[in-house]
Amino acid sequence: MDLHCHLDLYPDYPALVLECERLNVWTLGVTTTPQAWPRNRDLADATKHVRAALGLHPQLVGERQHELRLWERYLPEARYIGEVGLDASPKYYASFEAQKAVFRSVLQACAAVGGRVITVHSVRSAQATLDLIEEELPADRGRVVMHWFSGSRSEADRAVALGCFFSVNTVMLDGERGRRLVSAIPRDRILTETDGPFTAIEQRAARPGDVANTVATLSRVLGASSDDVRAMIQENLRRLLAVSDARPR
Ligand code: MN
């Protein structure tokens, strides 16, 4: 499964959706602006394995903060949310206060409706991201997947305590630091992603079918067989999605 892929950023987007179907890869297609929601929703609705997520990317909040209204309008029909979160890297730091305001509103809205699965970006901002999750999203009101988590070990522990899952890609597993972090995460919180097209494999953009590589790498890092890793992440996805049973209040 690919818990975080920007399907609509590939030149052959509709064909890629069909490829996920053909390969039986459960894929969450994330979006960066709510303007992309209707088309993503319609393409995903016609499939068995592809889901669309309603997003407002932190790197776009500087120019698109006003799109929060549109995001809120679509929320009732979206079970999956993302890409949302915070990015404190130098290029986006000017909008950091606006990002925090938007992410807080997103979490509050998700808590109010309940049952959402939220894929969260937290570049150079794990602490602030976790602060907002802790303040605004009670664990029984929605479930967070920390995507490409690059925080510290203690921040990972804190995310675990808050009930977060982690979607892991091959780039994270390239370095010793990432491998150590992933080894420390409880196995029942680990999921896989590509973050395509922003990761590459053999000098081309990674596609959802490439999660097979992530499974192989994870099996080496965790010292488990590929079959066991596959069964583990399937069970983890099942538990992640059980959150939708939560009732709106
Ligand atoms: Mn992404």
Side-chain angles (χ1 to χ4, degrees), residues 197-233:
F198 298 113
T199 58
I201 183 156
E202 291 157 1
Q203 278 144 28
R204 58 164 176 85
R207 298 168 80 85
D210 294 318
V211 281
N213 278 288
T214 317
V215 169
T217 310
L218 258 180
S219 80
R220 283 194 298 277
V221 170
L222 301 178
S225 72
S226 288
D227 283 348
D228 286 349
V229 169
R230 215 171 288 122
M232 170 189 94
I233 59 178

Side-chain angles (χ1 to χ4, degrees), residues 23-35:
L23 298 175
N24 294 321
V25 183
W26 194 98
T27 304
L28 185 59
V30 298
T31 56
T32 55
T33 154
Q35 293 189 22

Side-chain angles (χ1 to χ4, degrees), residues 4-6 9 30-32 57 83 119 121 147-148 193-198:
H4 189 111
C5 185
H6 297 264
L9 299 184
V30 298
T31 56
T32 55
H57 199 291
E83 183 163 358
T119 176
H121 176 111
H147 130 73
W148 199 332
E193 65 164 46
T194 59
D195 200 19
F198 298 113

